[in-house]
Amino acid sequence: MELSKRDMYRFPWSGNDNPIGWLEVTDKCNTYCRGCYRINGMQGHKSLEQIKEEIALLKNWRNCDNISIAGGEPLIHPNILEIVSYIRSLNMKPLILTNGIKMENNIGLMRELKQAGVVGFTFHIDSEQQRPKWKGKSEIELFELRQHFADMAKEVGGLFVSFGMTVYPGNLYMVPEMVKWANKNIDRVHGLVFIGFRNTLMEGEYDYYANGKKVDLKTSYAADNSDESYLTSRDIYAEIKKNFPHYETSAYMGGSQVHDKLTWLVSAQLGVKGQMYGSIGKKVMELFQSFHHLRYGTYVIYSPGNKIPKIALLLGLLDKGVRQTSRNFWKDVLRHPARLFQPLYVQSIGIIQGPDLLEDGRVDMCESCPDMTVWNGKLVHSCRMDEWRLYGNYIQPQRRQTEVSNGVVISPEAIPVVDHSASHN
Ligand code: SF4
């Protein structure tokens, strides 16, 4: 199915009313991930006082339902328990984005965080990490580690658990494997997040300016080549769709500059352990967001519970996706009556296509960016916060001036390059 905005619900989130507040408590990390957009250890751990200030700003400015605690690696921050309970005390849901290293053999820490009020974890695990004890392991081998964290969280109970993966052309083939594994573990894996890899050419067709001054790009996503930086959300969607007919997206976010880009694609699949039935449609996604806003005053992204009462299948009366899911469910019950007594679960899949540098130098971001964070008392895109940390402002790419001959504008690659070394021989 060609993805069409008409068949999906555009999240109603805005800069001023957004379920997510992105909080970076430290830029220190205990591993290194290729594709990370944070320079490690430039400022270290933030003080608890500064962190509390940022949490309050996010709540007041964005009316958040959840605070996504990130870094660097948030679990190495000495006050992580106080941070979690402070967020909970402000009636918001603290979710921790972590590589999990500090918790790998420490279920006690997971229990303490649960006690402090954490709503759940997004574990970032992929083969492009320099992870102690797991270096060089393939994505397939890393399922053992993913299973370990999923089982650990199941044992603690009452936690939202999802797994994130940065997608490169080289591991795109792994996306269906992740979905298959997650579907098999639908009782303990609440979601998956796939983020298309992005970097920026240091030397290419663009010069970079900040505050009107030309600068050298020193961010962690500056690179000598950007050959891998092209996967779109549609590419990742297509890889899943061709392997899982039950999978369908029901909500999206667009671009900030262009209108043919889907920066966020979200699906909510329904199934029992051992059998998937379908995905909810745009109507139920809209109902869920609007109902939560009416009832709690905020939009929503995370909820610790993933069990769905079967009566919810009656929503098929208004929602095409649920109607098809319900048909598949009852057909299966006729074949396997025991399914009727198995719990029905929902499992989300999020696909994020990050910033794209456009031909004319504009940078297309995610509209109403859900991951805005606080820097120096203002809200900035977390994926470009290092531009503020290094240059005090966003970088403005400017396409390099091309040489003009006889009034004809010729492109850079058409300019003949004289190989001066040849003349010296
Ligand atoms: S624009 Fe916002 S949501 Fe999109 S990748 Fe950047 S920080 Fe994430």
Side-chain angles (χ1 to χ4, degrees), residues 30 73-76 80-81 84 95-114 118 120-125 131 133-134 145 148-153 156 159-163:
N30 48 6
E73 171 48 48
L75 292 184
I76 64 174
I80 189 66
L81 289 171
V84 166
L95 179 112
I96 297 180
L97 290 97
T98 174
N99 58 39
I101 292 170
K102 197 146 181 248
M103 207 154 49
E104 194 173 328
N105 305 310
N106 184 355
I107 193 170
L109 175 57
M110 190 183 271
R111 291 192 199 288
E112 280 184 279
L113 288 162
K114 168 107 193 285
V118 83
F121 304 90
T122 292
F123 292 98
H124 178 201
I125 298 172
R131 177 184 287 272
K133 292 184 292 177
W134 296 84
L145 182 59
H148 169 69
F149 285 120
D151 297 347
M152 187 195 266
V156 173
L159 291 168
F160 173 94
V161 171
S162 71
F163 291 82

Side-chain angles (χ1 to χ4, degrees), residues 27 76 106 117 123 177 388 420:
D27 65 2
I76 64 174
N106 184 355
F123 292 98
E177 294 298 327
W388 287 88
H420 294 296

Side-chain angles (χ1 to χ4, degrees), residues 182-362:
N183 286 171
K184 219 173 69 197
N185 287 278
I186 195 168
D187 62 329
R188 60 199 64 203
V189 175
H190 298 59
L192 295 175
V193 184
F194 297 113
I195 302 175
F197 171 68
R198 283 290 177 274
N199 68 8
T200 309
L201 264 184
M202 269 189 290
E203 284 301 324
E205 299 165 349
Y206 299 88
D207 290 320
Y208 300 102
Y209 292 79
N211 302 317
K213 284 206 197 70
K214 192 166 174 216
V215 295
D216 296 330
L217 204 54
K218 291 199 171 61
T219 54
S220 56
Y221 40 87
D224 297 330
N225 84 63
S226 58
D227 301 351
E228 297 174 284
S229 177
Y230 62 82
L231 286 177
T232 67
S233 58
R234 284 185 168 89
D235 297 327
I236 300 171
Y237 164 86
E239 196 64 24
I240 303 172
K241 188 68 189 167
K242 76 181 180 203
N243 289 279
F244 303 94
H246 74 269
Y247 163 76
E248 196 48 81
T249 53
S250 51
Y252 76 96
M253 295 286 267
S256 60
Q257 302 290 330
V258 296
H259 295 85
D260 58 351
K261 179 177 156 186
L262 299 164
T263 54
W264 281 47
L265 277 175
V266 173
S267 152
Q269 310 157 92
L270 295 172
V272 297
K273 207 159 163 54
Q275 180 62 48
M276 300 302 291
Y277 297 116
S279 300
I280 72 166
K282 64 177 185 176
K283 296 261 169 68
V284 169
M285 197 54 103
E286 181 164 0
L287 207 61
F288 183 51
Q289 290 293 324
S290 316
F291 174 77
H292 194 279
H293 204 279
L294 277 170
R295 177 153 182 210
Y296 301 105
T298 60
Y299 292 118
V300 61
I301 182 143
Y302 299 113
S303 98
N306 68 339
K307 274 190 189 155
I308 302 288
K310 295 194 180 66
I311 192 153
L313 293 173
L314 287 176
L315 289 166
L317 296 170
L318 77 122
D319 185 284
K320 210 166 66 183
V322 178
R323 198 156 47 249
Q324 186 55 50
T325 304
S326 177
R327 261 191 230 114
N328 296 341
F329 172 72
W330 291 113
K331 263 195 238 153
D332 191 40
V333 166
L334 290 176
R335 287 190 300 266
H336 315 284
R339 295 266 199 237
L340 197 55
F341 307 100
Q342 282 185 249
L344 185 65
Y345 295 99
V346 62
Q347 186 180 68
S348 66
I349 295 183
I351 301 171
I352 299 178
Q353 178 179 340
D356 286 308
L357 179 50
L358 305 176
E359 278 277 311
D360 59 9
R362 289 175 300 154

Side-chain angles (χ1 to χ4, degrees), residues 264 354-355 365-366 369-371 381-383:
W264 281 47
M365 311 296 294
C366 308
C369 161
D371 298 344
H381 299 87
S382 53
C383 62

Side-chain angles (χ1 to χ4, degrees), residues 31-33 99 101 104 123-151 163-166 168 171 173-174 177-178 181 185:
T31 187
Y32 168 74
C33 308
N99 58 39
I101 292 170
E104 194 173 328
F123 292 98
H124 178 201
I125 298 172
D126 67 41
S127 58
E128 299 278 348
Q129 291 173 317
Q130 304 302 316
R131 177 184 287 272
K133 292 184 292 177
W134 296 84
K135 244 183 223 157
K137 297 284 185 194
S138 72
E139 293 290 353
I140 297 284
E141 289 166 317
L142 286 167
F143 278 122
E144 183 193 334
L145 182 59
R146 295 182 183 107
Q147 193 69 48
H148 169 69
F149 285 120
D151 297 347
F163 291 82
M165 181 177 137
T166 306
Y168 309 80
N171 69 359
Y173 73 95
M174 267 305 303
E177 294 298 327
M178 283 282 279
W181 171 77
N185 287 278

